[in-house]
Amino acid sequence: MPPFPDFSSQPPDPKGALIQAENQCRQRGSRLTELRRRVLEIIWNSPTPLGAYAILDVLRADGRPGAPPTVYRALDFLLGEGLIHRLASLNVFTGCRQPGHEHGGQFLICRDCGQVDELGNQVVDDLLRAEAETRNFEMLAQMVEILGRCPDCRRGALPHVG
Ligand SMILES: [Zn+2]
Ligand SMILES: [Zn+2]
């Protein structure tokens, strides 16, 4: 039995993610308003992480009179609930593959196509925490963002065989 489940092998499933978000918010008594739900849906429906203004564009295409503060408030809520992550290096948002438990998150970000894969490796989390503690550093948040090239882009870049 592997010591930790490999969450990254689970393909993103927008429908499942929304149902999970609804259940989680109901359990915690937090309000997943229609707008917050729609913002989460937009993020999950996108093949690559989105910035706030890209989300705003989709909301406006829905016919909503969206303003940036509205979107930022919805994003803050979703971040607070652990339903999404913010990738600081790109200032974009991606759906969390394993909401409902406290974690920082390790991300493989493709430089070429922008796809992001979230790793759920508790060993890495614990190791970073321990390293910080030995330096008497109080860790408040933990994000590991690894820039590189995804399998699809690597395959596309290989010389044609056959
Ligand atoms: Zn996550
Ligand atoms: Zn790629």
Side-chain angles (χ1 to χ4, degrees), residues 110 112-115 150 153:
C110 179
D112 294 350
C113 72
Q115 275 189 67
C150 76
C153 291

Side-chain angles (χ1 to χ4, degrees), residues 73-108:
R73 273 197 298 272
L75 289 168
D76 279 345
F77 171 85
L78 296 172
L79 283 168
E81 293 294 318
L83 296 169
I84 59 171
H85 292 286
R86 177 175 171 270
L87 302 176
S89 61
L90 303 170
N91 198 15
V92 293
F93 300 88
T94 186
C96 177
R97 308 271 179 98
Q98 35 180 320
H101 89 98
E102 209 63 40
H103 64 283
Q106 305 122 21
F107 299 89
L108 302 178

Side-chain angles (χ1 to χ4, degrees), residues 10-45:
Q10 292 176 354
D13 167 21
K15 227 176 236 157
L18 285 172
I19 291 168
Q20 194 174 0
E22 281 162 7
N23 290 338
Q24 185 183 310
C25 288
R26 197 174 306 126
Q27 276 170 16
R28 293 188 184 184
S30 49
R31 279 189 66 227
L32 188 67
T33 60
E34 212 267 320
L35 176 75
R36 291 165 175 173
R37 190 184 183 285
R38 178 63 182 139
V39 169
L40 185 62
E41 185 178 44
I42 291 167
I43 291 171
W44 271 102
N45 281 341

